[in-house]
Amino acid sequence: VAEFDLINQYFKPPCSARNDVLLGIGDDCALLSVPPDKALAVSTDTLISGVHFPHGTMPEDIGYKALAVNLSDLAAMGAEPAWASLAISLPTADKRWVEQFMQGFNPLAAQYNLVLVGGDTTQGVLSITVNIYGFVNEKKALKRSNASAGDLIFITGTLGDAGAGLDAVLNAERYNIPVDDTLRHCINRLNRPEPRIRAGLLLTQLSQIAAIDISDGLLVDLKHICEASQTGAIIHLDKIPLSDTLAGHYQKRPGGQQPDWQAITCAGDDYELCFSCPEYQVDEMNKVFEAQDISLTQIGKMTSSNKIECFDKAGIRQNLPLTGYTHFTHEKQ
Ligand code: ADP
Ligand code: MG
C-alpha cells in the first residue's frame, strides 16, 4: 500500500542515533526512555497549507518549517530536543513531494540530534502536525510565569524580516510585484526560521527567566508573559534590532526612514526568543552568552502596571495594537 511505502521509504530513519529510543517507527507505539532527573517537555504545532504557509511553498521549506516551529517551542522552554512524531495528511501519495519534504526535515532533525519515532499518514488536504519531545530540568524551565516587575526584557536576533517576507510572497501573488534581493532575504527568513535552541539551553543556566518564542508577534507574545506573570511592560521601539536588509529597505522608502513599527511588532514568524531576566543576573547572562555568537538586545523592562506601553525614539508613546496573528478571525486583527 502507498501509505506503507511512504513510511518505509521516507519516514523511517535508517538507524536511530539515540539510545533512548527503545523502539522506533514500525510498531503500534514507540517506546522511549526519559532521563530520571528531567521533565519531559511536549509540544505540538500544525501547519496547514494556505494558513501557515502560502500554497506555493516548496516542500523542502515546509518540511524544514514544520520541525523548526516545534523546535522553537522547546527553545522557549529551555528544553533539549530528543524526539518527534509526524502526522501528515496529503492529497495524493506523491513520493517526490514527500522526498523533498523530508529533505527539509531531516537535516534539521540531525542538527539537533532529534529522532523521528512515529506518526500517521493519511489522505486529505495538505496539513502537517509535528509533536515534539525534549528534556528540561523542571526547576530551570523558562516558564512564562517567571517574570517580575523590574526584570529587563531581551530578544535574540532581529525582528520583522519574516513578516516582510510574507507580505512579499502575498504581494507577488496578488499584484505581481517582483521579488528583489531584499525580499528574497525576508522570504528566506519566513521559510527557514532558526530555532533558538542554543539560546534557550544557555538561559537555563540562570534563574527566574521567563521566555516565549515570537511566533505570532512581539507584542501579543510578550502579553502572554505579562499575563502569566501579572506584570506590565515598557518597550523602546528604537531598540528593537532589525536586520541590515530590513533597515535598508525602510530607509529606501519614499519619506521613509522610520521603520514600520506596527508591522515589526505585530508580525510573527521570526521565531526569535523574547525573555525577561532579573537585573542582578544580567552580567552573568552576558558572561554565559559571551563567545556564543548569539545576539541579544535589551528592548524594555517589565513593570508593575497591567499595560504594555511602547515608546519611540523621542520618548513619545505609540499606540500599537497588542495583536498578532490569531485563528478564527480570518484576518490579521
Ligand atoms: P497504526 O495503524 O498501528 O496506527 P500506522 O500504520 O499508522 O500504525 O503506522 C505504522 C508505523 O509507522 C507506526 O510506527 C507509525 O508511528 C509510523 N508512521 C506512520 N506515519 C508516519 C509518519 N508520517 N512519520 C513517521 N512515522 C510514521
Ligand atoms: Mg495510525
Side-chain angles (χ1 to χ4, degrees), residues 260-272:
D260 183 344
W261 292 120
Q262 179 161 337
I264 292 161
T265 56
C266 299
D269 276 315
D270 284 311
Y271 293 96
E272 296 294 351

Side-chain angles (χ1 to χ4, degrees), residues 157-202:
T158 62
L159 289 189
D161 286 350
L166 180 59
D167 275 347
V169 174
L170 299 178
N171 287 334
E173 258 173 28
R174 261 184 233 141
Y175 311 113
N176 211 11
I177 293 178
V179 169
D180 60 11
D181 281 348
T182 299
L183 296 181
R184 215 164 280 124
H185 161 92
C186 292
I187 293 170
N188 189 55
R189 275 210 66 192
L190 173 71
N191 289 332
R192 300 263 165 172
E194 185 194 340
R196 292 293 187 173
I197 292 289
R198 271 192 315 133
L201 289 174
L202 289 171

Side-chain angles (χ1 to χ4, degrees), residues 61-209:
D61 289 334
I62 300 171
Y64 178 97
K65 192 163 176 180
L67 182 55
V69 301
N70 278 279
L71 284 165
S72 177
D73 280 320
L74 290 185
M77 208 54 170
E80 175 197 338
W83 318 302
S85 64
L86 168 66
I88 188 161
S89 149
L90 294 164
T92 61
D94 181 345
K95 287 194 172 187
R96 181 85 193 108
W97 194 95
V98 172
E99 186 180 7
Q100 291 173 344
F101 174 91
M102 292 309 284
Q103 280 167 1
F105 188 99
N106 282 330
L108 188 61
Q111 188 184 339
Y112 290 101
N113 190 26
L114 175 135
V115 172
L116 186 61
V117 295
D120 203 17
T121 307
T122 54
Q123 186 181 24
V125 293
L126 179 58
S127 147
I128 297 111
T129 297
V130 172
N131 286 279
I132 200 159
Y133 306 87
F135 309 139
V136 65
N137 178 330
E138 191 222 330
K139 291 194 178 65
K140 295 291 182 180
L142 313 177
K143 290 187 243 172
R144 294 178 185 183
S145 57
N146 279 350
S148 303
D151 290 358
L152 303 184
I153 301 171
F154 294 84
I155 57 168
T156 59
T158 62
L159 289 189
D161 286 350
L166 180 59
D167 275 347
V169 174
L170 299 178
N171 287 334
E173 258 173 28
R174 261 184 233 141
Y175 311 113
N176 211 11
I177 293 178
V179 169
D180 60 11
D181 281 348
T182 299
L183 296 181
R184 215 164 280 124
H185 161 92
C186 292
I187 293 170
N188 189 55
R189 275 210 66 192
L190 173 71
N191 289 332
R192 300 263 165 172
E194 185 194 340
R196 292 293 187 173
I197 292 289
R198 271 192 315 133
L201 289 174
L202 289 171
L203 288 171
T204 62
Q205 295 179 31
L206 306 163
S207 307
Q208 290 301 118
I209 305 288

Side-chain angles (χ1 to χ4, degrees), residues 3-4 7 11 24-28 86-88 116-121:
E3 180 191 336
F4 298 109
I7 295 169
F11 298 133
I25 290 176
D27 213 312
D28 298 311
L86 168 66
I88 188 161
L116 186 61
V117 295
D120 203 17
T121 307

Side-chain angles (χ1 to χ4, degrees), residues 74-75 91 181 234 286 325:
L74 290 185
D181 281 348
I234 287 176
N286 287 328
Y325 189 85

Side-chain angles (χ1 to χ4, degrees), residues 6 9 57 90 107 109 113 134 157 172 208 212 233 245 281 321:
L6 289 178
Q9 246 180 301
T57 309
L90 294 164
N113 190 26
Q208 290 301 118
I212 193 164
T245 312
Q281 269 188 127

